[in-house]
């Protein structure tokens, strides 16, 4: 059976830490979508060293857990090589525990250039993409032009590359993009030689064989449900299905094989990049959340926009994903606040609603809040549910009452051991 850990908001919920925590209970951890737009932060090794993973699944630091980069991922060989070097520095043997689906699509240097050119051309209405080439690579996948990891092993790879590159150059010329990308291409060709030395497998047989053998499999999401290409705040989304359904087509796993869907949500909200964010705070409280929560992008370093918890969006994520339990992260960030607000419904163009609308940017959305007294104590030292501040327990009880899945863990610090079971 397959369990899933995914983000319920706009990404950066702390998925990496939670996957790393649970990975010891699994034989295989698999990424099913996204690419190097993801930045999953882990603290590993005896020195509790910070590592940010972009494409390698967050189970990689556990001996005995193997890791698969699934077909639904878009893979940048350049970033991958750098990440492999970092991970190998901790003594991890990637020849033993990293496997890559031959069906994963490759991010080419021109995809990165196209991402940049498209964003520049949009001016103020840009998506605020990570500029990693994600959108153009998925466009080439659905447009049936893309190159896949398995193609690297073919003698025709260079010819296919040149053909696609020519097509991309025409698009870049249309955009008036003049940056020289020769250095990117040199790096790319060096990196694919490295990629060819890794375990390239048929991912769908690889994972289904494990499932048939009764092995425990964990699927790791990237981004968050509100960035899903279908159900997120389109067009301000990423280009893949970040939700639990993405596990099926991103790994080749049948729906009935999915068991638990663990949703990760911060105790408040953040978003990086453009797009609607109903509970965003444009005031000193928002800045406090950013400062205390160190809310800066793990991939791009951009400041994250911050705001209160949004139960309308969270319940939507519960519904779309079939979430069975919730891990609430960064609860400690709220420790010093006098008051906390939770959005329980929206007023959309003056009408009460408890639903996420089709197009958030076309409406005036006023979040309706319930206000709570803060707990004003250090929750980061708590080791058990009973030790958690009473007011935090009340905050969680309220959230539980409003969502169709219960909060089962509270994360109260970035450290590996800072996770309290409720
Ligand atoms: P991901 O993309 O969902 O894996 O999340 P990121 O790694 O991009 O961002 C989460 C950030 O919050 C990282 O810097 C984590 O180290 C940190 N973090 C995770 N859980 C907690 C927590 O419970 N408390 C605090 N204070 N920080 C946390
Ligand atoms: P993790 O896995 C937060 C956002 C970008 C932008 C939009 C589209 O760390 O949670 P893209 O480069 O995907 O075309 O950008 O999506 N975005 C993320 N925001 N966390 C992420 O990943 C993100 N990956 C993409 O900021 O708004
Ligand atoms: Mg992140």
């Amino acid at each position: 059976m397959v369990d899933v850990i995914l983000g319920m908001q706009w990404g950066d919920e702390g998925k990496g830490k939670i996957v790393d925590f649970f990975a010891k209970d699994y034989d295989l951890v698999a990424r099913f979508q996204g690419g190097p737009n993801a930045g999953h932060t882990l603290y590993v090794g005896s020195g509790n060293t910070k590592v940010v993973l972009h494409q390698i699944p967050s189970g990689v630091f556990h001996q005995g857990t193997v890791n698969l980069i699934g077909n639904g991922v878009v893979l940048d060989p350049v970033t991958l090589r750098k990440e492999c070097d970092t991970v190998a520095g901790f003594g991890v043997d990637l020849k033993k525990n990293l496997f890559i689906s031959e069906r994963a699509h490759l991010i080419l240097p021109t995809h990165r250039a196209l991402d940049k050119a498209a964003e520049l051309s949009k001016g103020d209405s840009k998506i605020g993409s990570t500029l990693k080439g994600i959108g153009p690579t998925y466009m080439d996948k659905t447009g049936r032009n893309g190159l896949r990891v398995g193609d690297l092993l073919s003698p025709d790879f260079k010819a296919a590359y040149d053909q696609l590159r020519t097509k991309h150059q025409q698009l870049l010329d249309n955009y008036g993009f003049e940056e020289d990308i020769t250095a990117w291409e040199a790096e790319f060709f060096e990196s694919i030689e490295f990629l060819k030395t890794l375990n390239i497998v048929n991912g769908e047989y690889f994972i289904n064989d494990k499932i048939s053998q009764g092995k425990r499999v964990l699927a790791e999401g990237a981004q968050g449900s509100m960035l899903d290409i279908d159900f997120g705040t389109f067009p301000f989304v990423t280009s893949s299905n970040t939700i639990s359904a993405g596990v099926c087509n991103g790994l080749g796993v049948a729906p009935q094989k999915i068991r638990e869907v663990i949703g990760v949500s911060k105790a408040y909200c953040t978003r990086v990049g453009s797009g609607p964010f109903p509970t965003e705070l444009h005031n000193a409280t928002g800045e406090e959340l950013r400062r205390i929560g160190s809310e800066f992008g793990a991939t791009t370093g951009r400041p994250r926009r911050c705001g209160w918890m949004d139960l309308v969006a969270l319940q939507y994520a519960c519904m779309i994903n079939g979430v069975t339990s919730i891990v609430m992260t960064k609860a400690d960030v709220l420790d010093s606040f006098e008051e906390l607000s939770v959005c329980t419904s929206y007023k959309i163009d003056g009408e009460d609603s408890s639903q996420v609308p089709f197009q958030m940017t076309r409406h005036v959305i006023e979040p309706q809040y319930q206000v709570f007294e803060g707990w004003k104590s250090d929750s980061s030292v708590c080791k058990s549910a009973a030790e958690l501040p009473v007011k935090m327990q009340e905050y969680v009880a309220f959230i539980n009452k409003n969502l169709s899945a219960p909060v089962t863990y509270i994360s109260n610090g970035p450290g590996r051991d800072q996770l309290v079971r409720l």
Side-chain angles (χ1 to χ4, degrees):
M1 296 305 276
V2 180
D3 294 335
V4 186
I5 292 184
L6 49 74
M8 299 180 78
Q9 300 166 311
W10 282 277
D12 302 328
E13 297 90 348
K15 299 175 291 294
K17 170 189 156 156
I18 304 306
V19 170
D20 173 50
F21 177 83
F22 284 107
K24 59 184 180 311
D25 302 331
Y26 291 89
D27 303 297
L28 171 66
V29 178
R31 274 277 306 269
F32 58 94
Q33 46 70 231
N37 48 350
H40 296 177
T41 313
L42 278 61
Y43 285 85
V44 296
S46 47
N48 244 346
T49 314
K50 177 173 164 172
V51 176
V52 179
L53 294 175
H54 300 286
Q55 300 178 108
I56 298 179
S58 302
V60 76
F61 293 103
H62 292 271
Q63 257 192 351
T65 306
V66 294
N67 295 269
L68 173 69
I69 296 177
N71 59 280
V73 170
V74 288
L75 192 67
D76 185 334
V78 179
T79 322
L80 182 71
R81 187 174 62 163
K82 290 183 189 146
E83 246 181 289
C84 285
D85 285 348
T86 307
V87 168
F90 288 87
V92 175
D93 184 354
L94 292 165
K95 292 271 160 55
K96 271 205 198 129
N97 81 355
L98 182 65
F99 296 81
I100 301 170
S101 165
E102 58 198 353
R103 291 184 191 268
H105 277 248
L106 289 167
I107 301 178
L108 310 186
T110 38
H111 285 132
R112 278 160 60 200
L114 282 166
D115 197 357
K116 196 167 174 184
E119 283 286 81
L120 281 172
S121 77
K122 285 191 167 140
D124 283 348
S125 54
K126 69 174 184 199
I127 308 294
S129 97
T130 58
L131 303 179
K132 303 292 178 193
I134 305 297
T137 308
Y138 279 114
M139 281 164 71
D140 268 341
K141 175 178 179 174
T142 50
R144 299 165 293 183
N145 295 310
L147 297 173
R148 300 182 290 176
V149 169
D151 296 330
L152 290 174
L153 308 174
S154 147
D156 303 330
F157 178 76
K158 183 66 171 61
Y161 175 90
D162 288 340
Q163 201 182 2
L164 190 53
R165 201 216 180 286
T166 305
K167 201 178 246 179
H168 287 166
Q169 192 57 53
Q170 285 164 358
L171 294 169
L172 288 169
D173 291 346
N174 275 347
Y175 279 121
F177 185 87
E178 285 176 353
E179 224 171 291
D180 181 10
I181 61 163
T182 334
W184 296 4
E185 288 194 287
E187 242 187 338
F188 175 82
F189 278 101
E190 274 171 38
S191 303
I192 59 174
E193 290 311 314
F194 170 76
L195 175 49
K196 284 197 260 184
T197 68
L198 299 175
N199 299 304
I200 297 173
V201 295
N202 179 312
E204 55 277 25
Y205 281 106
F206 183 82
I207 197 164
N208 280 292
D209 284 349
K210 299 268 184 222
I211 295 169
S212 316
Q213 291 158 18
K215 304 273 188 205
R216 295 154 300 175
V217 178
L218 179 63
E220 172 182 6
Q223 291 78 57
S225 305
M226 298 305 283
L227 287 173
D228 181 88
I229 183 74
D230 281 285
F231 298 103
T233 48
F234 189 89
F236 301 99
V237 292
T238 191
S239 298
S240 62
N241 282 116
T242 59
I243 59 168
S244 56
V247 171
C248 297
N249 57 13
L251 291 172
V253 160
Q256 63 271 40
K257 295 283 192 293
I258 295 178
R259 191 176 54 177
E260 301 291 325
V261 180
I262 301 159
V264 185
S265 165
K266 280 179 191 168
Y268 50 97
C269 277
T270 64
R271 170 163 205 167
V272 61
S274 328
F277 178 3
T279 62
E280 182 172 13
L281 293 166
H282 300 277
N283 58 16
T285 310
E287 277 163 34
E288 274 301 273
L289 283 171
R290 184 177 312 116
R291 186 183 63 78
I292 302 171
S294 308
E295 295 295 357
F296 295 89
T299 296
T300 58
R302 290 177 292 177
R304 294 177 184 146
R305 300 155 63 193
C306 298
W308 294 126
M309 179 168 250
D310 181 343
L311 291 180
V312 179
L314 269 190
Q315 179 47 33
Y316 180 71
C318 283
M319 174 180 81
I320 298 290
N321 289 297
V323 167
T324 53
S325 66
I326 296 170
V327 178
M328 194 170 95
T329 56
K330 305 195 87 159
D332 55 298
V333 173
L334 302 181
D335 281 354
S336 58
F337 286 80
E338 292 287 340
E339 278 187 347
L340 310 170
S341 297
V342 176
C343 165
T344 51
S345 64
Y346 298 152
K347 236 185 216 323
I348 304 179
D349 300 330
E351 299 264 323
D352 284 332
S353 172
S354 54
Q355 296 191 355
V356 171
F358 158 66
Q359 177 58 286
M360 279 189 169
T361 44
R362 282 200 202 134
H363 303 281
V364 179
I365 302 186
E366 299 166 78
Q368 307 299 299
Y369 290 110
Q370 170 112 1
V371 179
F372 292 81
E373 230 180 280
W375 43 89
K376 306 269 290 170
S377 61
D378 182 6
S379 69
S380 69
V381 292
C382 299
K383 300 273 179 224
S384 68
E387 287 173 54
L388 292 173
V390 173
K391 291 208 168 76
M392 185 195 277
Q393 296 182 31
E394 287 167 9
Y395 183 78
V396 174
F398 180 78
I399 290 162
N400 278 345
K401 228 172 49 193
N402 283 270
L403 297 178
S404 55
V407 176
T408 52
Y409 282 91
I410 299 273
S411 172
N412 56 344
R416 254 182 169 173
D417 55 346
Q418 288 176 298
L419 199 64
V420 175
R421 188 178 192 144
L422 298 182

